[in-house]
């Protein structure tokens, strides 16, 4: 693409570290809305939902990096680590709000994980993200080796799928928004697999 070169040239001068700061700012806004009554009659649930949604957005954004490069030529690879860590951060805070502000009772937390399928799936997705977050650094790439590191980070695909399913199961009845997110995730994963076929790698 003609426009990809100037965009990529510009992005070479834009470091990744400001993304961590800018990406975390909405957490403050979400909590502020909850405290000031901007999230309805149940602000804890409102905060919980908004943070989980932001986490899903960041996960989907991470999935979009490679397709965007293949389709448009715009390369955001240098920002993918920040995007992934921001996704983990939002989902971690989402989980902490559920644990500390919502359920609060330890025995009830464990019971909910076991008895409520959407919580079980959400927790499984979060646990898969823990080793990804821990190894999102250059030292881990050197220690594991590029091949093993990339194999480990393919867990991202499972985690984002579980996150989207968690959202679908969380809402009551079949609502359009969570189904759309799930379809977007599936289409992005299918695109990655199709484009990885030997005859299409250079297409």
């Amino acid at each position: 693409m003609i426009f990809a070169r100037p965009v990529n040239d510009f992005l070479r001068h834009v470091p990744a570290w400001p993304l961590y700061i800018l990406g975390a700012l909405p957490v403050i806004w979400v909590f502020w809305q909850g405290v000031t009554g901007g999230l309805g009659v149940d602000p804890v649930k409102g905060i919980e939902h908004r943070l989980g949604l932001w986490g899903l957005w960041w996960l989907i954004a991470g999935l979009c990096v490679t397709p965007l490069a293949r389709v448009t030529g715009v390369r955001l690879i240098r920002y993918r680590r920040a995007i992934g860590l921001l996704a983990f951060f939002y989902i971690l805070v989402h989980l902490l709000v559920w644990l500390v502000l919502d359920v609060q009772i330890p025995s009830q937390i464990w019971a909910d994980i076991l008895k409520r399928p959407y919580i079980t799936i959400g927790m499984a997705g979060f646990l898969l993200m823990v080793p990804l977050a821990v190894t999102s650094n250059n030292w881990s790439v050197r220690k594991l080796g590029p091949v093993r590191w990339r194999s480990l980070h393919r867990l991202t695909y499972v985690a984002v799928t579980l996150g989207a399913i968690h959202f679908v199961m969380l809402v009551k009845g079949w609502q359009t928004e969570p189904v759309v997110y799930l379809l977007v995730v599936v289409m992005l994963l299918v695109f990655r697999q199709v484009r990885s076929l030997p005859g299409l790698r250079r297409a």
Side-chain angles (χ1 to χ4, degrees), residues 26-181:
V27 171
I28 301 172
W29 173 245
V30 169
F31 275 96
W32 175 254
Q33 283 189 307
V35 170
T36 57
L39 296 180
V41 296
D42 192 344
V44 172
K45 286 293 185 184
I47 293 171
E48 197 177 310
H49 172 73
R50 294 290 179 87
L51 293 175
L53 193 55
W54 269 95
L56 184 57
W57 288 342
W58 284 112
L59 282 171
I60 292 174
L63 277 187
C64 289
V65 170
T66 298
L68 182 67
R70 289 174 176 171
V71 173
T72 70
V74 174
R75 298 182 60 82
L76 300 177
I77 304 298
R78 65 184 303 187
Y79 305 106
R80 185 157 58 184
R81 179 180 296 179
I83 291 170
L85 287 172
L86 283 166
F88 177 76
F89 169 67
Y90 274 90
I91 293 170
L92 174 62
V93 180
H94 164 74
L95 175 62
L96 290 175
V97 170
W98 177 68
L99 292 173
V100 178
L101 300 180
D102 191 352
V103 181
Q104 298 182 342
I105 305 171
S107 59
Q108 185 62 45
I109 292 170
W110 183 244
D112 283 349
I113 293 172
L114 295 178
K115 294 180 180 180
R116 299 177 186 270
Y118 75 91
I119 296 179
T120 307
I121 289 173
M123 186 63 69
F126 170 75
L127 292 176
L128 288 178
M129 293 186 68
V130 172
L132 305 182
V134 171
T135 57
S136 289
N137 52 74
N138 294 333
W139 181 86
S140 294
V141 177
R142 293 192 298 269
K143 189 71 174 178
L144 294 172
V147 175
R148 290 173 61 192
W149 188 88
R150 283 194 294 267
S151 297
L152 173 64
H153 279 252
R154 289 193 180 99
L155 289 175
T156 301
Y157 309 146
V158 183
V160 67
T161 303
L162 292 176
I165 294 172
H166 167 74
F167 189 19
V168 170
M169 297 178 68
L170 173 65
V171 299
K172 296 180 180 179
W174 287 92
Q175 297 185 22
T176 302
E177 183 184 11
V179 173
V180 168
Y181 284 120

